[in-house]
C-alpha cells in the first residue's frame, strides 16, 4: 500500500514566515493527519467495509484485497474492468503478492501456463505464506510431473496450515480422482507420510472404492492403516455406516492382516487374546462409569458396577443364514440377584437399526466354573449381527464381577434357515 510523504519544514519556519507560514503548515498538518488516518483505516478495516468503499476505493491495498476475496467467491472468474484495476494496483504496489496471485491465476485461465507459473513464483517469493499461490503452483507442478517442486509445496503447506490441514488433504484427495494428476499425487505423497495419512483419511470418508484407496497408499501407509488415528478405521466405519457389511469385513481383514482361515471363523478372537485387530469386527470393550471389560490371559474379565444398563463388550458379525450354537465358560465370581448380565445376538440390518434379539443368554456366576450355551437361528434377512454382553441394573445399584473364557460360536450341522 502506497503512502504519501510530505516535506519536513525547518523548526524556525514559524519565526521566519510569520502567521501566513503557520497557516500553511497547519493545513499541511491536517493533510498528513488525514493520510495517516486513511492508511490506518485501510490496514484495519476489511476491504468490503462501506467506509473503505467510500473513502479509499482506489487504494491499491483495497483493490487487491477486494479482488482476492472475489477470486475465491467467484471461482476465479473476474471481469475486464476488475483486472484492469488490479494491474493499476500492481504498478502502484509492486511488493504486494496478491497482485501476482490474481494475475497469475488469470494467466492460467488465458492458457499461458509458463507465464502463469513465473508470475505465481514471483508472488510466492514476496509472500511465502500466501496459501492460494501454493495451491495453484502445487496443481501446476503435479500436472507437469515436477514432483520435487510439488513435494516442496506440500511441505510448506503442511507447515503453514498446521492443524487446519484437512482442506488441503481434501483438495489432494480430489486430485487423486483425476487421471491426469492421480499418479503425480501418489508419488508426491510418498515423500510426506503425515499428509499422505490426511489425504487417505479424506478419501476413506468419500465414496471412492476401497481398492482405489489401497492402490494409492504407499507400503508405509498400508502398514499404518491399522492405527487407531489412521485411515483404516475410517474406511471400515464408512462401509459399516452404509450397511456394506461384507465389504467392510473384507477391508478390515486386509487392514489387519487377518488370514483366510481366521476370517472364515464365525467370530473373531473367541479366545480373548490381545490382538492388533480392532473393532467393530473384533471386541469393542467398555471402560466407563458403566463398568469395565478387559482381555487378560485368554479370558474376558468383567466388572459391572450395576448403576446403569448398557453394553460392556460387543462385536459385529457377518453370519450366513442358519442355525448356530453359542457357548462360553463362566468362572466363579460375584453376583447379585437384582443385577444381571446376559449375552445377546441381534440382527443389524442398518447402521442405526438394531432389532429385537435373536438370542438372550443370562450369565450367572456360581462357586464352580460352568458352561452356558444357547442355540440361535440367523434368518435370511439378517445381513449382519451384533453380539453384545449387556448389563441390566436392578432397582438398587449392585456390582457384579465375572470371568468368561473359551467362547465358541459354530454352525449346527445340517441346519436350515
Amino acid at each position: 500500500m502506497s503512502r504519501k510523504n510530505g516535506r519536513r519544514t525547518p523548526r524556525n519556519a514559524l519565526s521566519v514566515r510569520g502567521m501566513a507560514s503557520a497557516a500553511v503548515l497547519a493545513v499541511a498538518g491536517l493533510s498528513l493527519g488525514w493520510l495517516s488516518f486513511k492508511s490506518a483505516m485501510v490496514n484495519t478495516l476489511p476491504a468490503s467495509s462501506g467506509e473503505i468503499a467510500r473513502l479509499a476505493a482506489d487504494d491499491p491495498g483495497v483493490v487487491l484485497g477486494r479482488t482476492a476475496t472475489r477470486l475465491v467467491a467467484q471461482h476465479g472468474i473476474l471481469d475486464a474492468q476488475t483486472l484492469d484495476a488490479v494491474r493499476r494496483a500492481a504498478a502502484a504496489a509492486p511488493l504486494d503478492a496478491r497482485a501476482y496471485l490474481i494475475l497469475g491465476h488469470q494467466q492460467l485461465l488465458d492458457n499461458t501456463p509458463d507465464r502463469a507459473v513465473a508470475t505465481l513464483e514471483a508472488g510466492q517469493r514476496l509472500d511465502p505464506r500466501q496459501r492460494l499461490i501454493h495451491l495453484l503452483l502445487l496443481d501446476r507442478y503435479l500436472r507437469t510431473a515436477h514432483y520435487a517442486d510439488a513435494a516442496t509445496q506440500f511441505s510448506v503447506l503442511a507447515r503453514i496450515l498446521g492443524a487446519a490441514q484437512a482442506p488441503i488433504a481434501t483438495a489432494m484427495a480430489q486430485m487423486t480422482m483425476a487421471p491426469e494428476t492421480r499418479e503425480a499425487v501418489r508419488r508426491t505423497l510418498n515423500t510426506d507420510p503425515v499428509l499422505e495419512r490426511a489425504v487417505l483419511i479424506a478419501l476413506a470418508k468419500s465414496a471412492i472404492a476401497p481398492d482405489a484407496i489401497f492402490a494409492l497408499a504407499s507400503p508405509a501407509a498400508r502398514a499404518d492403516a491399522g492405527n487407531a488415528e489412521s485411515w483404516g478405521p475410517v474406511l471400515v466405519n464408512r462401509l459399516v455406516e452404509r450397511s456394506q457389511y461384507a465389504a467392510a469385513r473384507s477391508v478390515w481383514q486386509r487392514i489387519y492382516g487377518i488370514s483366510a482361515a481366521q476370517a472364515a471363523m464365525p467370530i473373531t478372537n473367541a479366545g480373548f487374546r490381545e490382538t492388533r485387530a480392532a473393532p467393530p469386527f473384533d471386541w469393542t470393550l467398555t471402560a466407563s462409569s458403566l463398568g469395565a471389560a478387559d482381555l487378560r490371559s485368554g479370558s474376558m474379565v468383567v466388572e459391572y458396577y450395576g448403576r446403569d444398563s448398557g453394553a460392556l463388550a460387543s462385536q459385529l458379525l457377518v453370519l450366513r443364514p442358519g442355525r448356530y450354537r453359542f457357548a462360553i465358560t463362566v468362572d466363579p465370581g460375584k453376583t447379585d440377584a437384582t443385577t444381571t448380565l446376559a449375552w445377546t445376538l441381534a440382527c443389524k440390518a442398518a447402521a442405526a437399526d438394531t432389532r429385537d434379539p435373536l438370542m438372550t443368554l443370562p450369565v450367572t456366576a456360581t462357586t464352580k466354573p460352568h458352561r452356558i450355551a444357547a442355540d440361535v437361528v440367523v434368518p435370511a434377512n439378517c445381513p449382519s449381527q451384533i453380539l453384545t454382553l449387556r448389563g441390566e441394573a436392578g432397582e438398587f445399584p449392585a456390582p457384579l464381577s465375572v470371568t468368561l473364557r473359551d467362547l465358541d460360536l459354530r454352525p449346527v450341522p445340517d441346519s436350515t434357515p
Side-chain angles (χ1 to χ4, degrees):
M1 185 181 300
S2 64
R3 299 181 60 178
K4 297 179 181 179
N5 295 316
R7 291 186 176 181
R8 296 179 61 90
T9 304
R11 291 178 178 269
N12 60 355
L14 289 175
S15 60
V16 175
R17 299 178 184 174
M19 296 300 295
S21 296
V24 171
L25 287 175
V27 172
L30 289 173
S31 299
L32 288 172
W34 163 246
L35 289 175
S36 297
F37 170 76
K38 180 179 174 182
S39 296
M41 180 181 65
V42 168
N43 288 327
T44 303
L45 297 178
S48 58
S49 167
E51 289 300 308
I52 291 291
R54 185 169 65 87
L55 301 174
D58 296 328
D59 185 277
V62 173
V63 171
L64 296 176
R66 183 173 61 234
T67 307
T69 301
R70 289 180 183 173
L71 186 73
V72 177
Q74 299 174 190
H75 305 289
I77 306 304
L78 302 174
D79 57 68
Q81 182 178 357
T82 299
L83 290 169
D84 287 342
V86 169
R87 293 185 182 97
R88 291 192 296 272
L95 300 181
D96 195 318
R98 291 173 296 184
Y100 294 83
L101 163 66
I102 297 163
L103 297 176
H105 182 268
Q106 186 61 38
Q107 289 162 357
L108 288 173
L109 295 180
D110 293 339
N111 200 28
T112 56
D114 292 342
R115 186 180 176 192
V117 168
T119 300
L120 292 169
E121 287 177 341
Q124 189 174 69
R125 287 192 292 272
L126 289 172
D127 183 2
R129 300 186 63 82
Q130 176 53 254
R131 301 176 187 182
L132 290 178
I133 289 180
H134 282 290
L135 284 172
L136 291 174
L137 285 174
L138 175 59
D139 179 74
R140 291 310 309 169
Y141 293 152
L142 288 172
R143 292 177 185 275
T144 55
H146 288 77
Y147 301 121
D149 291 331
T152 299
Q153 295 299 322
F154 269 122
S155 179
V156 173
L157 278 169
R159 290 197 300 272
I160 291 175
L161 294 176
Q165 214 175 60
I168 299 302
T170 301
M172 296 302 98
Q174 292 172 348
M175 286 183 180
T176 67
M177 301 178 194
E180 65 269 23
T181 54
R182 182 181 299 123
E183 180 60 17
V185 171
R186 186 189 67 80
R187 292 180 58 176
T188 305
L189 287 179
N190 288 349
T191 68
D192 192 332
V194 174
L195 192 58
E196 181 180 25
R197 174 191 270 193
V199 170
L200 291 172
I201 288 174
L203 288 171
K205 294 177 180 178
S206 72
I208 192 170
D211 284 346
I213 300 176
F214 279 100
L216 178 69
S218 66
R222 289 194 292 270
D224 173 64
N227 290 324
E229 303 300 322
S230 193
W231 57 276
V234 176
L235 177 57
V236 172
N237 289 335
R238 184 249 287 185
L239 296 171
V240 168
E241 289 170 0
R242 299 182 184 184
S243 301
Q244 299 174 343
Y245 301 115
R249 198 172 196 278
S250 177
V251 167
W252 173 86
Q253 175 185 348
R254 188 172 179 180
I255 288 171
Y256 295 104
I258 308 298
S259 68
Q262 289 175 302
M265 300 297 291
I267 192 167
T268 301
N269 194 12
F272 301 129
R273 305 291 180 184
E274 291 288 345
T275 66
R276 179 174 175 265
F281 298 104
D282 202 335
W283 294 109
T284 298
L285 301 173
T286 294
S288 67
S289 60
L290 180 70
D294 295 309
L295 305 186
R296 303 177 192 170
S297 304
S299 299
M300 180 183 288
V301 180
V302 179
E303 295 287 343
Y304 174 45
Y305 306 142
R307 294 190 292 264
D308 301 297
S309 300
L312 293 154
S314 64
Q315 184 177 143
L316 191 63
L317 309 180
V318 185
L319 301 175
R320 295 180 179 180
R323 183 178 296 276
Y324 295 82
R325 167 152 285 228
F326 176 90
I328 194 167
T329 297
V330 183
D331 284 342
K334 177 183 177 182
T335 62
D336 184 276
T338 62
T339 301
T340 62
L341 280 178
W343 285 102
T344 65
L345 184 71
C347 291
K348 192 172 179 64
D353 176 22
T354 301
R355 301 177 183 177
D356 292 337
L358 303 171
M359 175 197 80
T360 300
L361 179 62
V363 176
T364 55
T366 61
T367 57
K368 295 181 180 180
H370 65 288
R371 195 103 172 131
I372 59 174
D375 286 352
V376 57
V377 175
V378 176
N381 61 343
C382 184
S384 182
Q385 309 81 35
I386 183 76
L387 177 66
T388 305
L389 177 64
R390 181 177 175 83
E392 293 292 341
E395 184 177 358
F396 300 102
L400 183 154
S401 61
V402 67
T403 299
L404 307 169
R405 56 184 171 85
D406 301 329
L407 186 154
D408 185 41
L409 177 65
R410 65 179 62 192
V412 175
D414 300 324
S415 63
T416 57

